[in-house]
Amino acid sequence: METKGLANIRGTARDDIKAHFVFIPLMLQGHLIPAVDTALLLASHGALTSIVVTPSYTERVHWTIDFAKKSGLPLRLMEFPLDLAAEGLPDGADDVDKVPPHLIANYFRALANLREPLERHLRFDEPYPTCVVADICHPWVKELAAKLEVPRLSFSGTCAFSLLCQHNVERFNAYDGIADDHELVVVPGLEKKFELSRAQSLIFFRLMPGFEKFTDELEQAVVKADGLLVNSFQEMEPQYVAGYAEARRMKVWTVGPVSLFHQSTTTLSLRGNTAAIGADVCQHWLDGKVANSVVYVSFGSIQYVEPKQVVELGLGLEASGHPFIWVVKNADLLGEEVKEFLRELETRVAGHGLLIMGWAPQVLILSHAAVGSFVTHCGWNSTMEAIVAGLPVVAWPHFSEQFLNAKLAVEVLGIGVDVGVTEPVMLRYDQKVIVIPREMVEKAVRSIMDRGDEGEERRRRARALAAKARAAVVEGGSSHANLQDLVNHFQRSPARGAAA
C-alpha cells in the first residue's frame, strides 16, 4: 500500500486541514475520473482528500494527483492491492478491463474484500477521516463507515433527472402487468410527460444475471447514506434535484460540473490517462479547421460497438460531408474485414476526418473552437462535458441510464437530436443485434450541424447552459457553495483522536 502523508503535501500543515474525505471510487474510467475531480475540488476548498485505488488505477490517475499536489492541494493516493487469487481472478485483473466477463461477480467480491484492510489503515490514520465518499456501486462501504463511526456519502455518476426517473418507475411499480420489455410507459410522479420502457430504465446491474442480490444491496446502501453527491448543477435541473432529495429524504449536494476543476491544457490532457499521448496531434489537426465545423464522435470507455455498426457509422460520417474526429475503441476486436474498412476509410477521408484508435483527450477536444457537435452514447460524464463545452449532441444511448440522459439532453434541455435507437444495444438477454444504418447516422449529423433556425436555437441553448455551468463552480455559484458546505458540514472535531 502506498500513501502520501501530510508532511509530503507541500504548503499544507496538519492544523490547516478542515476536513478529511476518503474517496472510494469504482475502478472504471467513467466512475474514477469524476470521483478524482470531485476530490480535487474539495481539496481546493481546504479539505484533505484521500483517494483509494488499486495498483492498475494508480498509473491512470497519479499524473493528475501529482500535478495538483505541486500546486499545494492536500491530496493523497491510498493504494490497496486486490487479493485476486482468493476470488479466482487472473493476474492483472485489478484492472477491470482485464476481467473476463464471466468473472465480473468475482471482481466485485474482491473489491468488497478491501473493507477490512482499509478499516485497519483508516482507524490509525492521521488525521482521522471525517467522511467516507463511496461510489454508489460499493454497498460494502456502508459497513466500513459504520465500523469507523463516520458519516458516509454516496457518489453518483449520473444526473438527478435519471436518478429520479429510475426511482419513480420502481417506487410506483410502473411496469407491473407490462410483459414487453420494450413497451413504453409514462414515468410516474413527474410534472412533464416522459415515456420509458423497462429495457431503457434498468440500472446496469439489473441487466446482469446473478446480480439480483447485489442490486438490492445497492439500494439499501443508498437508502442509509448520509447524503448524495451528484456531478450536476442546480441551475440545470432544479426540479429534479429537489424531487430526488424529497423522494429519498436525504440531502443532495450538486457539485458539478466537476471537469471544470481543470482549466489548463496540461491538466486536461493528463485527465484519466497515463500520459498526454495524442493531445498534440488532436490540437494540431483541429487548429486547421474552421470554427464549429467538426463533429466529434465517441462512445465512452466501456461501450462495445458491433462490427456492422462500425461500418455503418463510418459510412454515415463520411456521407455527412462534415469534418469529424472519431474515437474507435477496441479496434483489435473488430475482425480483419472491419479493420481493413477502417484503413480504407482513413485513406479516403485523410485531412477531412481523423480516426483515433483507443484513448483521446476528450475534454480538450470538446473545448476546441473548431468542434461544433458531439455524437455521444450519453454516458453522464460525456453529457456533462458536452454541456460545459456548450455543444449540441447527437444522442445515441447504448444501455441503462444512458437513455434517460439522452432524454434530458433532447427533451428537457433541448440541446440534442436523437439518432433513433430505441432499444439497448449492449447487455441484452437475447442475441439481437441493433444497428443504426448509415442513412440515419448521416441524417442525425446533418441535423445537429444544421445552420437553420432550429439548429441555431439548439446551439444558443447549449451556449447558455455552458455559461450557467461555469457560473455554478466559481465563488457565488451553487456548486461552489455546496462544496464549501460539504467541508463545513463534515469538518474535523478537535476532540477526536487518530485512534478513535
Side-chain angles (χ1 to χ4, degrees):
M1 180 191 68
E2 174 190 341
T3 59
K4 303 296 185 183
L6 288 180
N8 295 324
I9 299 174
R10 186 171 68 84
T12 303
R14 183 178 302 173
D15 292 341
D16 293 334
I17 297 299
K18 299 176 182 177
H20 180 195
F21 292 88
V22 176
F23 275 73
I24 308 175
L26 182 63
M27 304 299 151
L28 277 175
Q29 283 289 84
H31 292 244
L32 180 64
I33 290 174
V36 169
D37 286 347
T38 305
L40 291 167
L41 284 165
L42 281 168
S44 71
H45 283 259
L48 169 64
T49 54
S50 300
I51 305 167
V52 176
V53 289
T54 57
S56 289
Y57 290 90
T58 298
E59 290 302 310
R60 301 192 187 192
V61 301
H62 82 85
W63 300 87
T64 295
I65 300 301
D66 290 349
F67 192 90
K69 283 165 61 177
K70 287 177 182 177
S71 69
L73 292 184
L75 293 156
R76 59 186 177 180
L77 290 179
M78 292 181 172
E79 184 182 282
F80 285 80
L82 297 182
D83 189 346
L84 301 172
E87 295 299 338
L89 291 164
D91 290 344
D94 77 310
D95 180 349
V96 72
D97 294 336
K98 297 177 182 177
V99 178
H102 67 285
L103 293 179
I104 194 68
N106 304 51
Y107 176 73
F108 276 91
R109 286 199 298 271
L111 287 173
N113 290 340
L114 290 177
R115 187 192 66 76
E116 289 187 4
L118 186 53
E119 180 193 338
R120 286 195 297 270
H121 176 76
L122 292 175
R123 188 169 293 281
F124 297 98
D125 190 29
E126 292 188 36
Y128 198 83
T130 61
C131 182
V132 174
V133 182
D135 190 283
I136 206 165
C137 296
H138 285 320
W140 55 272
V141 178
K142 175 166 62 76
E143 185 177 355
L144 170 68
K147 292 277 188 179
L148 293 171
E149 298 182 336
V150 297
R152 174 181 59 89
L153 299 175
S154 288
F155 182 84
S156 172
T158 190
C159 58
F161 171 78
S162 296
L163 290 169
L164 182 58
C165 287
Q166 284 181 326
H167 179 71
N168 281 6
V169 294
E170 295 197 4
R171 173 188 175 194
F172 294 108
N173 302 311
Y175 298 113
D176 281 4
I178 305 296
D180 184 354
D181 281 351
H182 304 296
E183 182 176 340
L184 294 174
V185 303
V186 176
V187 178
L190 301 180
E191 290 184 11
K192 186 173 180 179
K193 179 181 177 181
F194 298 100
E195 292 186 320
L196 199 66
S197 72
R198 181 187 285 111
Q200 292 172 344
S201 68
L202 285 175
I203 64 172
F204 179 82
F205 292 106
R206 290 202 190 280
L207 295 166
M208 302 173 67
F211 273 79
E212 294 81 7
K213 180 181 178 182
F214 183 79
T215 307
D216 291 338
E217 291 173 349
L218 294 183
E219 171 65 17
Q220 287 304 307
V222 172
V223 167
K224 296 181 179 180
D226 295 295
L228 179 73
L229 302 190
V230 182
N231 179 19
S232 182
F233 57 102
Q234 181 70 22
E235 293 77 8
M236 181 173 68
E237 47 170 355
Q239 67 274 47
Y240 304 114
V241 173
Y244 191 70
E246 181 180 1
R248 287 293 194 185
R249 297 180 180 178
M250 69 168 54
K251 174 74 173 177
V252 175
W253 283 274
T254 52
V255 295
V258 298
S259 64
L260 281 174
F261 172 84
H262 304 276
Q263 297 295 323
S264 73
T265 299
T266 300
T267 59
L268 286 174
S269 61
L270 290 174
R271 185 173 178 256
N273 192 43
T274 56
I277 300 169
D280 290 343
V281 173
C282 295
Q283 183 81 25
H284 178 74
W285 190 88
L286 286 166
D287 285 346
K289 298 293 179 286
V290 175
N292 300 312
S293 66
V294 177
V295 180
Y296 175 66
V297 185
S298 179
F299 294 142
S301 57
I302 67 170
Q303 322 304 315
Y304 174 73
V305 181
E306 288 285 342
K308 289 181 181 178
Q309 185 64 81
V310 171
V311 174
E312 293 300 306
L313 173 54
L315 292 173
L317 289 172
E318 184 181 17
S320 75
H322 292 281
F324 63 88
I325 293 181
W326 178 17
V327 182
V328 183
K329 298 289 176 63
N330 301 318
D332 55 324
L333 302 178
L334 295 173
E336 191 53 42
E337 186 176 344
V338 176
K339 286 191 278 188
E340 179 60 27
F341 163 78
L342 290 172
R343 286 191 289 268
E344 292 175 355
L345 176 66
E346 204 165 13
T347 300
R348 290 199 306 271
V349 301
H352 185 75
L354 177 63
L355 276 64
I356 301 175
M357 305 299 170
W359 178 86
Q362 180 160 295
V363 175
L364 192 65
I365 292 171
L366 293 175
S367 64
H368 197 285
V371 177
S373 68
F374 183 9
V375 179
T376 173
H377 64 301
C378 291
W380 187 239
N381 290 330
S382 291
T383 305
M384 276 295 276
E385 287 161 8
I387 287 167
V388 168
L391 293 175
V393 299
V394 172
W396 193 329
H398 283 54
F399 67 95
S400 192
E401 80 280 352
Q402 293 169 9
F403 283 93
L404 288 161
N405 298 339
K407 285 185 179 295
L408 179 75
V410 177
E411 299 180 32
V412 178
L413 303 177
I415 62 168
V417 298
D418 198 322
V419 77
V421 62
T422 59
E423 300 181 30
V425 301
M426 289 178 60
L427 300 177
R428 297 181 63 95
Y429 292 114
D430 55 29
Q431 299 301 310
K432 183 178 179 182
V433 176
I434 306 294
V435 176
I436 300 296
R438 66 195 73 172
E439 294 83 6
M440 291 177 67
V441 175
E442 178 187 355
K443 180 182 178 182
V445 170
R446 288 182 180 275
S447 177
I448 204 66
M449 297 297 285
D450 174 54
R451 295 295 171 184
D453 291 346
E454 189 174 343
E456 287 299 333
E457 178 59 20
R458 273 193 298 268
R459 275 184 283 277
R460 185 199 64 76
R461 284 193 288 262
R463 289 192 298 268
L465 194 58
K468 291 180 181 179
R470 294 183 181 277
V473 301
V474 299
E475 190 169 357
S478 59
S479 295
H480 187 278
N482 280 339
L483 287 161
Q484 192 59 55
D485 183 57
L486 280 163
V487 174
N488 294 338
H489 196 88
F490 299 102
Q491 62 186 327
R492 295 173 64 199
S493 169
R496 180 140 208 170

